[in-house]
Amino acid sequence: MKTQAIVPAAGSGQRLKFKIPKPLVLLKSKPLIVYCLEKFQKCSLIDSVILVVQKKYLARFKSIIKNYRLTKVVHVIGGGKTRRDSVVLGLKVLDKDTDFILVHDGARPFIEESLIERTIAQAAKHQAVIASVPVKPTIKQVNCKKFIVEKTLERSTLWEVQTPQVFKKDILIKAHAQPITSEITDDAALVEKLGIDVHVVMGDYRNIKITTPEDLVLAEALLDSRN
Ligand code: CTP
Ligand code: MG
């Protein structure tokens, strides 16, 4: 069973408000993108990695890959306008004999090897698997024009979606081939539209996505807590 990872990292990080792209932001003097790539480098279940980045920074990323000896990164390619476009570009350079694809946001530095292993093991059984954690707060649906609560959602059924997400190759390719124009923020949403069951694997509350400036403070604290 051969699994390749696609790491979409071609966003500009508008919400983080740095001048450089989010994956290049230094976290304890190491570029953010390196953290997850080191985990893939170590994990024997990952055959190789396709890294998707902003075109104008291709050379910068390639030199980082070289400097950190991330030899499993076999392609560094330019991304698209949306996350979905970037993943689709990654799908185009997959090896022919790949069985499973693991997609992981480059903005999630704290993926653990055990989570990679769990999701891949479950994907072998269920074909479409996402890491996810039960939400902690109470979530309400709000009418965003009137700023009035429409309803309170039942917390026990709500899970926050993370990556990694692992899919059988042909399922993910078929999912992305659908002409869906609504905003898609994860790959599983497209697989759901095919009518295929997406299975949930317990994620990790530490596996945060760096999105806004306070997430960087949290990330540093998480790193400190490990040492
Ligand atoms: N991504 C991508 N290509 C895009 C947009 C996003 O590969 N055109 C990637 C990001 O680099 C990130 C992941 O998708 O690793 C999740 O996206 P997000 O956290 O939203 O990152 P950004 O789009 O960079 O941030 P923002 O939305 O704040 O601009
Ligand atoms: Mg984004």
Side-chain angles (χ1 to χ4, degrees):
M1 176 173 145
K2 174 167 166 176
T3 304
Q4 285 189 287
I6 296 177
V7 179
S12 54
Q14 284 185 8
R15 287 169 290 178
L16 195 63
K17 299 187 182 87
F18 270 62
K19 283 203 182 105
I20 51 168
K22 189 156 70 177
L24 294 174
V25 168
L26 297 181
L27 188 57
K28 300 257 182 216
S29 68
K30 189 153 78 176
L32 187 70
I33 192 65
V34 172
Y35 288 84
C36 72
L37 295 177
E38 284 181 335
K39 291 286 163 54
F40 293 131
Q41 183 73 27
K42 263 202 201 150
C43 180
S44 63
L45 297 183
I46 297 291
D47 179 84
S48 51
V49 179
I50 296 154
L51 177 63
V52 192
V53 302
Q54 273 187 58
K55 272 192 203 95
K56 62 175 175 181
Y57 290 93
L58 269 171
R60 183 92 167 264
F61 280 98
K62 282 182 181 167
S63 87
I64 289 172
I65 298 309
K66 206 172 153 203
N67 290 345
Y68 284 89
R69 296 191 175 82
L70 298 163
T71 51
K72 275 195 191 171
V73 180
V74 289
H75 295 283
V76 185
I77 60 171
K81 249 197 190 146
T82 65
R83 182 189 185 279
R84 180 181 175 184
D85 296 332
S86 296
V87 172
V88 168
L89 288 162
L91 292 175
K92 296 208 162 97
V93 299
L94 284 170
D95 291 347
K96 284 214 167 62
D97 59 348
T98 291
D99 303 300
F100 287 87
I101 305 161
L102 178 151
V103 184
H104 182 67
D105 289 327
R108 290 184 191 272
F110 301 125
I111 184 173
E112 287 291 348
E113 212 176 321
S114 58
L115 183 57
I116 302 172
E117 289 166 357
R118 280 209 301 285
T119 48
I120 293 177
Q122 288 302 307
K125 282 188 207 155
H126 299 297
Q127 318 206 335
V129 167
I130 61 174
S132 190
V133 286
V135 300
K136 296 178 192 176
T138 297
I139 310 259
K140 293 186 196 281
Q141 189 176 306
V142 172
N143 178 322
C144 297
K145 283 190 186 125
K146 297 182 184 160
F147 284 95
I148 293 173
V149 171
E150 283 173 345
K151 64 175 167 187
T152 301
L153 304 171
E154 197 192 318
R155 190 172 59 193
S156 61
T157 67
L158 297 174
W159 288 59
E160 179 184 333
V161 170
Q162 302 184 331
T163 65
Q165 303 192 345
V166 186
F167 308 96
K168 201 157 179 266
K169 181 171 77 178
D170 26 314
I171 289 178
L172 190 60
I173 289 174
K174 211 168 149 192
H176 275 285
Q178 298 173 105
I180 292 165
T181 51
S182 55
E183 202 195 350
I184 295 290
T185 52
D186 79 333
D187 301 274
L190 291 165
V191 173
E192 291 155 33
K193 300 233 189 242
L194 287 176
I196 290 172
D197 284 344
V198 174
H199 287 251
V200 171
V201 162
M202 185 57 75
D204 179 354
Y205 284 112
R206 298 174 69 116
N207 181 26
I208 59 167
K209 182 161 76 68
I210 307 297
T211 306
T212 53
E214 58 274 19
D215 294 328
L216 277 179
V217 180
L218 187 56
E220 297 234 346
L222 285 170
L223 281 175
D224 285 339
S225 73
R226 243 172 228 187
N227 300 327

